[in-house]
Amino acid sequence: MIHFVLLISRQGKVRLTKWYSPYSQKERTKVIRELSGVILTRGPKLCNFVEWKGYKVVYKRYASLYFCMCIDQEDNELEVLEIIHHYVEILDRYFGSVCELDLIFNFHKAYYILDELLIAGELQEPSKKTVARLISAQ
Amino acid sequence: MEQLKTIGRELAMGSQGGFGQSKEFLDLVKSIGEARSKAEEDRIVLHEIETLKRRISEPDIPKRKMKEYIIRLVYFEMLGHDASFGYIHAVKMTHDDTLLLKRTGYLAVTLFLNDDHDLIILIVNTIQKDLRSDNYLVVCAALNAVCRLINEETIPAVLPQVVDLLSHSKEAVRKKAIMALHRFYQKSPSSVSHLVSNFRKRLCDNDPGVMGATLCPLFDLITIEVHSYKDLVVSFVSILKQVAERRLPKSYDYHQMPAPFIQIRLLKILALLGSGDKQASENMYTVVGDILRKCDSSSNIGNAVLYECVCCVSSIYPNPKLLEVAADVISRFLKSDSHNLKYMGIDSLGRLIKMSPEIAEQHQLAVIDCLEDPDDTLKRKTFELLYKMTKSSNVEVIVDRMIDYMISINDNHYKTYIASRCVELAEQFAPSNHWFILTMNKVFEHAGDLVNVKVAHNLMRLIAEGFGEDDDAADSQLRSSAVESYLHIIGEPKLPSVFLQVICWVLGEYGTADGKYSASYITGKLCDVAEACSNDETVKAYAVTAIMKIYAFEIAAGRKVDMLHECQSLVEELSASHSTDLQQRAYELQAVICLDAHAVENIIPSDASCEDVEIDKNLSFLNSYVQQSLENGAQPYIPETGRSGMSDTINFRSQDQPEASMHGLRFEAYELPKPPVPSRMHTASLEPSTELVPVSEPAYSRDTHQVATVPSVSDAGSSELKLRLDGVQKKWGRPAYSSSAPSTSSSTSQNTVNGVTQVDAAGSVISKAHKTNDSRKPRVEISPEKQKLAASLFGGSSQTEKRPTTASHKVTKAGSHAAGKKSQAPKSAVVSNQVTVEKTIHQPPPDLLDLGEPAVPSATPSVDPFKQLEGLLDPTQVSSTANHGAVGATESPDIIALYGKTPASGHSSSAAISLPTNGDGVNFTAGLLDATISTTHAGTTLPTQSIKGLNAKDSLEKDALVRQMGVTPSSQNPNLFRDLLS
């Protein structure tokens, strides 16, 4: 399952966090600090996966924004990579060519969309159309 | 550094979306964005939190305002600050009747609280009410919260309702209900174990989304217990087949793959079901083979499915043909240029190697490449593979590699991991004792404190016991080689504590055993160790004991012992130590030295560390003493469980305490807000019905009473602010749950009515599956209409309709102003030098950029292109913007990219994200410029612009809005403007 979702900017600023497993506020800060240290320093051609404390973190960079998801050891990394992309495509559809500023100022909407896509750390809706329909119904 | 001076854009966004964030909030976000350091950001946030604290507790805040406050709290919490003062307001907001506010409340609450938070109990009632709501969006919001917030204790309070929702008419609700049940199952398997059959039923749901969701809990269930789900193999296979044959609605396609996420989940399940089961596996061969063959390996998602297939093939009962195909896939992965695919290739190679070890050989070179890759992730994965491949023939190379890598990294977590791997491999495959000792030395030296203490103990035991063969010579050779290497290593600074312990122990036991080193030499070394680590009592203790052993062996051998001077001072120092353990050891040492040879031999026999020491666990040697005391009239010992007197107090505590320690008290307190001031409570305290009286009986009667009344209350649907928790009373003890029991039973009966074909037998499941498919076909046909509907609500086609108009509007606008623009162009003095460069490269197509060209030679090269864009749309402002345009200073190429896209922005067809062809760009540019320039070969517009015309247009629009708001972004961080997908 997905343990948490992080969106961080290239400068290490947090744009969105969603935790599916219990983490205290302190742990959260620590996780974010550690991970941004690891991920932001990785070169562009390396793999999009990082093994981290017995978990795997899959990340992908879009413009200046890094989307990271932390998953279990036995999960399929490529699938998660596509879940990230799926999320971005839905965001794109919703905001109409989404860019970082959309997420900075409308982070709550990004949360709503994420809630339709993932629930309890699992992908709940693989159909873009359905997500779009639900979001627009709200 | 990041600067968000582009705030205006968001202002525009805010007003667009109708979310009505106030200027204040946007300013806040902006100022945080502009903060130059973390400290400054913290200062701003802390200040803001103070203000918010004051404001949020004011009475009568308008709801809109409150919602914004909550969103601000979410923002602060996201930035890592503590916003706990506002949690309660978020909880209150979930009570609100308006959907928007309610959802905001739920969102905030799910983000703020973990499931063990005290406030959860306050939300349960709202959730219960909302789960019964007629509006399915409210139900969805509540279910989202259920997944995050409901804990083991509160599951019974919502469980019946969630189960009811499994047969809700909206698929979104069914889906979330399933996920909620899944969550319950993860948290407390026993609470939902009787509902497992529901998952099976939902597998035949009409909606693929619901079916897909059901696979999550089923996967978990099957992981735990494979056997009771073998009957589902056939249905899983048939579902997978249908998916692969594209029988699901088109909307589930992802990058031309039919429902890949569902395929992957199914493959995972099949891998579990087919593991070690030949019969089940035979059912799967065809479909897995088909997917392997047909899957598109050029897209990422296709590779994800392929990888999952390989995993499945390597897990189920082996089939040579499939293994062959899988090996092909792996070699494709490994040969790929993408690091991701290499990584997956290494991983799947590790899986397949169990089945057919020979395939590793053809990939040797690729594996070595990966091992030497600069990418850490890939390297680690490769080590994983090597670990699986290790044999006694290659162990030396592999472990050496691992240790080298271990030394080079800083990540303690992984260091520990790889160290334990080294130890494991060395223990298992060591070709020689000498190598083993050396390897262990290296591991301890570099990762000593990270290695599990057990490993050290294992090593000591191994040295003591030898390698198990009855070859004393070999054993003593092992020992002396160990001693030698330790004496060699002991002088090095900063050895880890665990390693020193091992060294001390080994030197103590075997230092003088082969007679190569004298006792004084060894004890001298040990004293050095003890002195060197004056802070580490464990090492000191080991050292002292080792010294004692050496002397004891000397005495036993009949040699005269003269204690070294330094040794003596050490003992004296330790006998005054704060640690009683060290003191005792020091005194023991002194005592032993004074004894004669015979006695010493008995106390510390030489090389006896492997002898078994018998321990009398029953303490039988005390029996006579106990007997004597009993005869003298002492009370016999009663074990704790058997003490009758105690049991009362224990029971009492268990009844009474929970009310205090769990949410009990709180629950009571909120329920009765009316009884005024404590003073009256005192007068009333004589009556047994007050909850404050800690007598348990009346409290129970109250509970039962409440349970009885609750259902009626809930039926009436009263919205009074009172905590209702039917079922939760279970915590208090016996009478609980009477209310929820009937409701569950009714719900199950309902289920059987609703789901007509919900029979468990495999055969009927399949037939149902087929049926669902039949019923799906008509859906496919209507789907275009549905698509339109959905799109018209927000997504796709509305864009198709809207955008052209706005675009064309803009075009005309731009076009009509074009003349003026041209005349103003010199004044606006545009186009940064990069653009010039680019233009010189793509020599002179008369495209949009030409507008600025006349100015280029004379222009100050540092003008913000955004300003010029502004000029395109609103020429009246150009002159003013041009003046302070110099702020933009040196622009990074990103902006140019954006700018370069402008020409394509009018591209008006196709609402989809599909790439516009160059031709579209041509049309537009032509359309835009025909007023001024008689376009010729507009097709040669900057190559960059053809990436994504639509998006570019959007960003332009957004940007235009910014300017209409009267804000001028200096856009020093152009990345912010960049479309994520471009």
Side-chain angles (χ1 to χ4, degrees), chain B residues 52 175 188 260 264 330 357 400 828 892 929:
Chain B
L52 206 53
K175 195 170 59 191
S188 132
I264 288 173
I330 289 176
D400 277 354
S828 59
S892 81
L929 297 179

Side-chain angles (χ1 to χ4, degrees), chain B residues 621-928:
Chain B
F621 55 91
L622 286 175
N623 281 351
S624 61
Y625 174 77
V626 172
Q627 196 62 33
Q628 203 186 335
S629 317
L630 282 178
E631 277 162 17
N632 291 341
Q635 287 285 322
Y637 173 77
I638 305 165
E640 211 166 331
T641 48
R643 288 174 215 182
S644 59
M646 284 291 277
S647 70
D648 280 349
T649 52
I650 289 170
N651 278 346
F652 182 71
R653 202 184 293 155
S654 67
Q655 290 164 0
D656 202 26
Q657 208 90 327
E659 289 196 32
S661 65
M662 296 179 183
H663 313 291
L665 262 187
R666 194 172 283 272
F667 172 59
E668 298 288 325
Y670 280 114
E671 196 193 347
L672 288 175
K674 275 153 213 161
V677 245
S679 65
R680 226 190 264 177
M681 289 304 250
H682 275 296
T683 59
S685 67
L686 285 179
E687 293 172 29
S689 60
T690 331
E691 307 78 59
L692 289 179
V693 181
V695 181
S696 49
E697 282 315 301
Y700 280 129
S701 63
R702 259 197 78 262
D703 283 347
T704 33
H705 170 68
Q706 197 190 349
V707 168
T709 54
V710 159
S712 62
V713 176
S714 63
D715 286 343
S718 87
S719 58
E720 90 187 280
L721 254 173
K722 182 182 169 193
L723 268 184
R724 248 186 289 111
L725 272 179
D726 26 347
V728 177
Q729 276 85 357
K730 203 175 185 181
K731 280 189 296 183
W732 278 269
R734 296 140 220 161
Y737 223 85
S738 51
S739 75
S740 60
S743 68
T744 31
S745 67
S746 72
S747 76
T748 42
S749 64
Q750 209 180 0
N751 272 349
T752 42
V753 177
N754 280 347
V756 193
T757 34
Q758 292 164 344
V759 195
D760 282 344
S764 63
V765 171
I766 313 159
S767 67
K768 172 74 176 158
H770 282 298
K771 255 185 252 165
T772 35
N773 237 320
D774 294 343
S775 63
R776 255 175 226 145
K777 277 179 187 161
R779 278 173 51 92
V780 178
E781 284 158 18
I782 15 168
S783 72
E785 281 169 48
K786 279 195 174 179
Q787 284 171 15
K788 240 186 197 163
L789 183 68
S792 64
L793 281 174
F794 206 96
S797 62
S798 73
Q799 293 173 338
T800 26
E801 284 164 40
K802 261 186 209 162
R803 286 187 186 179
T805 56
T806 48
S808 60
H809 167 70
K810 219 165 43 182
V811 168
T812 51
K813 201 177 166 194
S816 63
H817 287 302
K821 219 179 301 155
K822 251 213 148 170
S823 61
Q824 283 186 358
K827 228 192 287 171
S828 59
V830 253
V831 190
S832 65
N833 50 355
Q834 286 99 326
V835 176
T836 339
V837 170
E838 226 165 296
K839 222 169 296 155
T840 48
I841 294 169
H842 313 292
Q843 263 302 336
D847 60 2
L848 194 59
L849 290 174
D850 274 9
L851 291 174
E853 196 148 58
V856 170
S858 65
T860 40
S862 59
V863 174
D864 186 355
F866 277 85
K867 299 284 151 45
Q868 201 203 8
L869 287 184
E870 189 175 53
L872 286 175
L873 293 171
D874 198 357
T876 47
Q877 283 187 2
V878 166
S879 52
S880 65
T881 46
N883 286 339
H884 61 137
V887 188
T890 52
E891 294 297 338
S892 81
D894 290 334
I895 288 210
I896 289 111
L898 181 74
Y899 182 55
K901 281 178 202 160
T902 344
S905 62
H907 149 62
S908 54
S909 58
S910 97
I913 325 161
S914 64
L915 306 177
T917 56
N918 249 335
D920 289 328
V922 176
N923 291 338
F924 163 61
T925 353
L928 177 61

Side-chain angles (χ1 to χ4, degrees), chain B residues 260-564:
Chain B
F261 299 109
I262 294 180
Q263 284 193 43
I264 288 173
R265 260 187 221 158
L266 282 166
L267 283 166
K268 276 187 175 158
I269 291 179
L270 289 184
L272 287 177
L273 285 171
S275 171
D277 183 340
K278 190 173 180 191
Q279 204 195 341
S281 303
E282 273 167 358
N283 287 318
M284 306 168 192
Y285 291 152
T286 335
V287 67
V288 177
D290 278 354
I291 296 178
L292 270 174
R293 251 193 316 281
K294 278 196 287 190
C295 214
D296 158 40
S297 63
S298 58
S299 71
N300 204 8
I301 189 69
N303 286 322
V305 176
L306 280 176
Y307 165 75
E308 209 54 59
C309 283
V310 174
C311 294
C312 182
V313 168
S314 62
S315 160
I316 61 179
Y317 191 87
N319 171 307
K321 243 189 170 166
L322 283 184
L323 285 175
E324 211 174 283
V325 187
D328 284 350
V329 171
I330 289 176
S331 64
R332 232 182 303 149
F333 280 171
L334 285 173
K335 278 175 198 150
S336 153
D337 283 334
S338 150
H339 272 71
N340 287 348
L341 287 187
K342 276 188 190 165
Y343 176 92
M344 299 317 262
I346 295 280
D347 184 88
S348 34
L349 190 58
R351 288 168 192 269
L352 211 60
I353 222 165
K354 282 178 288 179
M355 301 281 199
S356 44
E358 69 282 352
I359 67 160
E361 275 155 39
Q362 44 177 315
H363 300 302
Q364 272 169 344
L365 284 179
V367 172
I368 297 298
D369 281 348
C370 290
L371 193 61
E372 270 153 17
D373 200 274
D375 187 349
D376 253 7
T377 313
L378 197 51
K379 218 179 233 177
R380 290 179 186 188
K381 199 75 201 171
T382 316
F383 277 125
E384 191 85 351
L385 172 68
L386 291 181
Y387 169 76
K388 286 180 187 151
M389 286 167 51
T390 310
K391 292 173 281 205
S392 46
S393 55
N394 57 11
V395 64
E396 287 177 67
V397 189
I398 290 178
V399 171
D400 277 354
R401 280 280 190 161
M402 283 186 175
I403 290 177
D404 284 347
Y405 180 65
M406 184 184 80
I407 294 170
S408 71
I409 57 173
N410 293 321
D411 171 3
N412 278 350
H413 183 271
Y414 194 70
K415 223 173 187 174
T416 317
Y417 178 76
I418 201 165
S420 66
R421 284 263 148 117
C422 289
V423 172
E424 196 181 314
L425 289 180
E427 280 176 358
Q428 221 175 331
F429 298 110
S432 74
N433 296 342
H434 185 68
W435 179 83
F436 178 74
I437 297 280
L438 285 182
T439 308
M440 295 306 275
N441 286 355
K442 262 197 222 161
V443 172
F444 274 110
E445 206 179 323
H446 297 286
D449 288 326
L450 301 171
V451 179
N452 194 334
V453 188
K454 256 193 201 151
V455 175
H457 293 170
N458 266 345
L459 176 61
M460 289 191 255
R461 189 187 315 140
L462 202 93
I463 293 176
E465 288 176 352
F467 271 94
E469 321 101 45
D470 290 323
D471 186 355
D472 283 344
D475 284 356
S476 57
Q477 194 208 337
L478 165 71
R479 288 165 194 164
S480 48
S481 77
V483 169
E484 200 154 332
S485 67
Y486 289 156
L487 284 173
H488 185 67
I489 228 170
I490 203 168
E492 290 190 18
K494 284 196 196 155
L495 290 177
S497 160
V498 186
F499 190 35
L500 283 173
Q501 290 165 25
V502 176
I503 292 179
C504 288
W505 188 86
V506 172
L507 289 184
E509 283 290 326
Y510 306 110
T512 54
D514 60 355
K516 206 167 161 187
Y517 301 100
S518 73
S520 57
Y521 179 71
I522 303 278
T523 47
K525 287 279 183 197
L526 286 171
C527 285
D528 290 346
V529 171
E531 263 165 49
C533 35
S534 50
N535 302 326
D536 192 337
E537 289 182 356
T538 328
V539 173
K540 273 194 202 166
Y542 267 93
V544 175
T545 308
I547 292 172
M548 177 168 75
K549 278 188 215 156
I550 302 273
Y551 284 136
F553 297 151
E554 287 294 294
I555 295 170
R559 277 175 291 232
K560 195 178 166 318
V561 173
D562 16 72
M563 217 156 148
L564 289 179

Side-chain angles (χ1 to χ4, degrees), chain A residues 10-11 15 20 42 45 47-49 76 82 89 97-100 102 105 112 123 125 138, chain B residues 2 9-10 13 21 103 175 183 254-255 265 300 308 340 375 377 951 954 958 978 980:
Chain A
R10 206 176 48 185
Q11 292 83 8
R15 298 300 184 210
Y20 294 103
R42 282 174 67 81
K45 277 205 146 176
C47 18
N48 295 69
F49 325 124
N76 183 337
E82 287 310 292
E89 281 185 1
S97 72
V98 64
C99 68
E100 194 178 343
D102 292 319
F105 289 95
Y112 290 138
L123 184 72
E125 184 51 71
Q138 283 166 10
Chain B
E2 171 171 329
R9 168 140 184 239
E10 299 63 52
M13 303 289 303
Q21 292 148 322
R103 281 178 50 83
K175 195 170 59 191
R183 195 66 169 175
Y254 178 84
H255 292 193
R265 260 187 221 158
N300 204 8
E308 209 54 59
N340 287 348
D375 187 349
T377 313
N951 286 342
D954 274 353
K958 285 178 186 175
R978 221 159 154 208
L980 293 176

